[in-house]
Amino acid sequence: MRNPSGRSPAGCTLIGILAMLAAPADAVRCVTPTCQCEALKAVYSDLQISDIHTGFPGTEADCCKLSDVRCNDAGGITDLKLRGGTSTPSGVIPLESLKGLVELDRLDLGKDSSSSISGTIPGSLATVGNLRDLTLTAKRLSGTLPAELLGADAKGRLEELKVTGRISGTVPASYCESPSPKQGESKEYGMLQDLELGDNEHLSGTLSWSCFTQQYLEELRLDSTALSGTLPQFVDLPRIEEVDLSETKLSGTVPGRLCGKPGADPSPLQLLKLSRIEDLSGTMPEQCFKLANLKELNLKRTRVAGTLPRDMDLRQIEVIDFSNSGLSGTIS
């Protein structure tokens, strides 16, 4: 990409940026908007995509005005979300090209219905830019979840991870272990806020108990996986808003503290989906029927029993399903 003078800045041609990416880690970083735009051009080329409005990278364009790109006030690329503004991405995750996006905060490589990205997830992907939010929902992705992506063993500071594909193996225990804060960082920086690993039918093993004691976790979605083990009764998720564990091989009873801790502020829980867990049994905790913010509650095809309380809080409820479960009573 050319600057207003019409001359390509030194080191920021496509050849220049490829050379920079191959340089040692302490080499000059691609900090100028022009150089980052060249890096984006390489990413688009690697994924064999083009912007549907401008034709970039086949034509010159202001990268900050591309459909799936967002920039900060200085022109640095902070968001790359392939959500309909480009042709269908394919190939493997272009790690080396992505390294040129040194200010990248959010990366979304496309929803599964419009992505042909395949291959495995490189662990060092978490070190790209300032990445805090990573979404990889491509049905052709395979391999295992790298421990270096998230948590105590992470190379970066991811806070939100969403992965869908043909992922196998287990969820690394380190994903739910808090990273050691670096000098000058706030205590919340790098803490897990969103973990979504649903629709990976070959993802198995047990989930670390520490995943249920995350102080900053707001979303936990592990539905349609082969995860197993007993649900822990000690749960401490003060910020949790959405929990979806449906269609898993988990067992045990519904933890009462999943719906709030006694003596604490009211739970912000809005969605609780535990349907089609064949080995989920016991009595439904009464506090789970009295969540002021609850919008969806699904216990379909479980062995959870109990009677619906007459004073059940239905102020926000949009979806409720107890069919083929052990629950009884009427909803008024």
Side-chain angles (χ1 to χ4, degrees):
M1 183 175 180
R2 294 185 182 276
N3 64 15
S5 69
R7 296 188 301 272
S8 296
C12 288
T13 62
L14 184 56
I15 294 176
I17 192 167
L18 292 177
M20 180 209 69
L21 293 175
D26 58 351
V28 177
R29 300 171 74 234
C30 191
V31 295
T32 67
T34 303
C35 204
Q36 290 179 39
C37 196
E38 289 292 346
L40 185 67
K41 185 180 292 186
V43 171
Y44 273 45
S45 297
D46 289 345
L47 292 175
Q48 302 174 51
I49 58 176
S50 59
D51 183 79
I52 59 175
H53 297 296
T54 66
F56 177 90
T59 59
E60 295 296 319
D62 181 344
C63 284
C64 294
K65 294 182 178 179
L66 298 177
S67 303
D68 291 339
V69 175
R70 297 293 179 271
C71 297
N72 56 29
D73 292 342
I77 297 172
T78 58
D79 290 36
L80 175 58
K81 295 185 177 183
L82 303 183
R83 289 285 168 171
T86 69
S87 51
T88 302
S90 60
V92 299
I93 296 172
L95 176 62
E96 293 305 314
S97 298
L98 284 166
K99 287 179 180 179
L101 302 179
V102 298
E103 297 182 70
L104 196 66
D105 186 72
R106 295 179 178 86
L107 176 63
D108 183 341
L109 291 182
K111 56 186 178 181
D112 51 25
S113 61
S114 61
S115 176
S116 296
I117 293 176
S118 58
T120 59
I121 304 171
S124 54
L125 184 60
T127 65
V128 168
N130 302 313
L131 205 59
R132 299 174 73 177
D133 184 343
L134 176 62
T135 299
L136 302 171
T137 51
K139 289 296 186 181
R140 297 185 183 182
L141 277 177
S142 59
T144 58
L145 292 168
E148 307 97 302
L149 270 185
L150 187 69
D153 294 336
K155 293 182 177 179
R157 278 292 187 263
L158 274 182
E159 297 173 351
E160 301 182 31
L161 177 64
K162 311 170 192 73
V163 178
T164 296
R166 299 174 181 173
I167 302 301
S168 58
T170 62
V171 180
S174 59
Y175 275 22
C176 293
E177 296 173 1
S178 300
S180 300
K182 297 179 180 179
Q183 187 174 4
E185 291 181 350
S186 70
K187 64 178 181 180
E188 296 187 26
Y189 186 65
M191 296 300 179
L192 183 61
Q193 296 179 14
D194 188 347
L195 182 61
E196 300 184 34
L197 304 174
D199 292 321
N200 288 294
E201 61 180 351
H202 300 299
L203 189 63
S204 59
T206 58
L207 192 65
S208 171
W209 65 270
S210 58
C211 291
F212 294 93
T213 59
Q214 290 294 303
Q215 297 300 294
Y216 301 100
L217 188 64
E218 297 176 1
E219 292 189 37
L220 179 63
R221 292 178 178 268
L222 304 169
D223 54 297
S224 302
T225 65
L227 288 170
S228 59
T230 303
L231 284 171
Q233 291 304 300
F234 181 79
V235 174
D236 188 11
L237 299 171
R239 297 190 184 184
I240 198 69
E241 295 180 0
E242 298 185 6
V243 175
D244 188 351
L245 305 177
S246 55
E247 297 187 64
T248 61
K249 296 182 180 181
L250 294 167
S251 60
T253 60
V254 179
R257 289 177 62 135
L258 189 60
C259 300
K261 188 165 60 175
D265 293 335
S267 172
L269 192 64
Q270 298 178 21
L271 179 146
L272 180 57
K273 297 179 70 174
L274 303 172
S275 62
R276 293 184 172 89
I277 304 179
E278 296 180 358
D279 294 323
L280 188 66
S281 58
T283 302
M284 187 67 173
E286 186 174 350
Q287 62 263 44
C288 292
F289 293 114
K290 299 180 179 181
L291 294 167
N293 300 301
L294 193 64
K295 295 181 179 180
E296 181 171 353
L297 180 59
N298 196 327
L299 292 164
K300 181 179 181 179
R301 295 187 183 179
T302 66
R303 293 190 288 121
V304 176
T307 302
L308 301 182
R310 292 182 179 274
D311 59 346
M312 183 175 176
D313 196 326
L314 299 173
R315 284 175 289 179
Q316 302 292 330
I317 284 287
E318 298 173 358
V319 178
I320 187 167
D321 192 344
F322 301 142
S323 59
N324 298 303
S325 72
L327 288 161
S328 60
T330 58
I331 300 174
S332 56

